[in-house]
Amino acid sequence: MKRSMGYIKAFCVIALVAFLYGFAAERNKGRGIRDIKVHFTDTENLYVTEEVVNKLLIQNNASASSIDKETLDLNKVEDLLNSHEMIENAEVYLTLDGKLRAEVNQRKPIGRVMGNASFYLDKQGELMPLSPFFSARVPMMFGFDGKNVKEAYPVVNYIKNDEFLTSHIVSIQRKPGGHFELELREQDFKVYFGDSTHVATKFNNFKAFYKKAQKDKKLDTYKKVNLQFGDQVVCTKK
């Protein structure tokens, strides 16, 4: 008899816990989202603002408290953020206490095309529109359009990933035949790069030349530096 009573008590406890859990879960579903917070993984430059992301998150500017957690489609909201032209990747989730969170990774420009149509070239080699919120400090690109700009991607991407080159090169110009000419920040000589082959070799040669000429105090004696011949640097004096 005692054993039977023990089973009955245990069953009642389990039933009560299940009821309370179900009640709390059902009540929690009906509540609106208490808070929305956006976190940018890289806050150095904001090409899209938190306000813009918030509007996408709460769908057509509805108030956060009016969004029902049960009807909120996180995948749909995430896809909406990922389709934004300034966002590379976004992850959206709900916390246990009903707060909506978004982790946003922005696209990163590495060059800016100047001309009839102005836009960025991003780190993936794709075209990226200019942002109304921030202007990136990247090399200017002249003589390019949407059809030929990717020709320069190996060159511009290498510059972006090299501290020395980033601090010295301010622009790249496309010449006939798909050859490139670089402009330096502090020197008045032009750097004729040639095409986008053997990029690492050409830039390593250039850096070695620059540092040697700087040490010898001869940088201001040149009017042109030619890197197109692979393993050598050909200089023309003034």
Side-chain angles (χ1 to χ4, degrees):
M1 184 69 178
K2 290 183 178 180
R3 181 176 297 180
S4 297
M5 288 298 296
Y7 287 145
I8 293 172
K9 288 181 180 179
F11 175 78
C12 289
V13 170
I14 293 173
L16 179 61
V17 171
F19 170 77
L20 292 175
Y21 178 83
F23 176 77
E26 193 63 32
R27 185 179 180 185
N28 186 52
K29 286 179 182 179
R31 290 178 178 175
I33 294 172
R34 295 173 53 194
D35 180 50
I36 296 176
K37 187 174 182 180
V38 179
H39 175 254
F40 291 95
T41 56
D42 182 0
T43 57
E44 181 181 353
N45 303 320
L46 291 181
Y47 303 104
V48 56
T49 65
E50 183 173 343
E51 181 182 3
V52 172
V53 175
N54 272 332
K55 288 181 179 180
L56 293 172
L57 283 172
I58 61 180
Q59 302 177 30
N60 300 322
N61 299 322
S63 65
S65 60
S66 69
I67 303 175
D68 191 298
K69 287 184 288 185
E70 177 147 17
T71 61
L72 178 65
D73 188 336
L74 291 178
N75 289 330
K76 182 179 178 181
V77 177
E78 202 168 84
D79 289 342
L80 186 62
L81 289 182
N82 284 324
S83 67
H84 192 279
E85 56 192 7
M86 295 296 175
I87 295 176
E88 181 176 314
N89 182 60
E91 294 183 3
V92 181
Y93 59 93
L94 276 172
T95 63
L96 293 176
D97 55 352
K99 297 178 181 179
L100 184 62
R101 296 290 182 258
E103 299 282 338
V104 178
N105 183 29
Q106 300 180 103
R107 296 175 67 184
K108 296 175 178 61
I110 60 174
R112 178 172 178 169
V113 172
M114 307 294 291
N116 295 330
S118 294
F119 53 89
Y120 291 124
L121 182 69
D122 77 1
K123 70 173 186 176
Q124 305 296 337
E126 300 297 330
L127 277 59
M128 172 181 172
L130 302 183
S131 168
F133 306 109
F134 189 87
S135 181
R137 294 188 63 183
V138 292
M140 301 292 102
M141 304 176 68
F142 301 96
F144 294 94
D145 56 34
K147 295 180 180 180
N148 61 31
V149 67
K150 292 186 179 183
E151 297 174 3
Y153 174 73
V155 179
V156 183
N157 190 52
Y158 196 96
I159 293 172
K160 183 63 177 178
N161 291 316
D162 187 285
E163 185 177 354
F164 175 88
L165 299 175
T166 298
S167 64
H168 284 82
I169 297 174
V170 296
S171 72
I172 174 172
Q173 183 171 8
R174 187 180 188 274
K175 296 294 185 178
H179 288 194
F180 309 119
E181 188 174 82
L182 312 178
E183 181 181 0
L184 304 181
R185 189 181 309 277
E186 298 176 352
Q187 306 300 326
D188 60 0
F189 60 80
K190 301 291 184 179
V191 179
Y192 188 77
F193 193 85
D195 60 23
S196 58
T197 60
H198 309 294
V199 173
T201 298
K202 291 176 182 178
F203 274 133
N204 286 336
N205 289 340
F206 172 70
K207 289 193 289 184
F209 152 78
Y210 190 99
K211 292 175 181 179
K212 178 66 167 59
Q214 185 178 48
K215 181 180 179 180
D216 296 339
K217 298 181 179 180
K218 293 182 177 180
L219 283 174
D220 59 355
T221 65
Y222 301 108
K223 66 177 181 179
K224 184 177 181 180
V225 174
N226 196 331
L227 305 176
Q228 71 169 324
F229 301 110
D231 60 353
Q232 60 179 322
V233 178
V234 179
C235 302
T236 303
K237 290 191 173 183
K238 294 179 179 177

